Amino acid sequence: MELLVVGSCTDKKDVQDCPRSVSQADFDDPATLLRREADLRRWALPAVQLYMGWKHNDMMKGVNAIRDKFGTARCAVRIICRTC
């Protein structure tokens, strides 16, 4: 069994002390984007740790139950995100 669980991003994220997230304007210039990514590297988290909304938390409980029973490699997670 191989399963792909797709979730959406949430507005609630674990970035309380982050000065400013990457904006759409940052993507307009590759040099600016590289600089912004470097500035924010210490706040980079995998999506499964970044999102904190109740929908994400409930989804991850289910994912973890599947992984516990069938193994981590059997269940992948992808987050679909728009500019939040």
Side-chain angles (χ1 to χ4, degrees), residues 17-32:
D17 62 339
C18 181
R20 181 178 74 86
S21 61
V22 176
S23 70
Q24 186 63 42
D26 293 328
F27 287 89
D28 293 338
D29 176 47
T32 300

Side-chain angles (χ1 to χ4, degrees), residues 39-55:
D39 291 345
L40 297 171
R41 192 165 320 277
R42 69 177 269 224
W43 288 278
L45 294 171
V48 297
Q49 295 173 5
L50 175 65
Y51 296 106
M52 301 179 66
W54 65 268
K55 290 186 291 185

Side-chain angles (χ1 to χ4, degrees), residues 3 10 14-16 19 22 26 33-36 42-44 55 57-59 63-64 66 74 79 81:
L3 181 65
T10 64
D14 185 14
V15 291
Q16 293 86 10
V22 176
D26 293 328
L33 181 58
L34 287 173
R35 195 168 40 254
R36 290 293 298 134
R42 69 177 269 224
W43 288 278
K55 290 186 291 185
N57 290 340
D58 285 349
M59 179 186 78
V63 166
N64 289 331
I66 292 167
R74 297 295 185 173
I79 305 295
C81 193

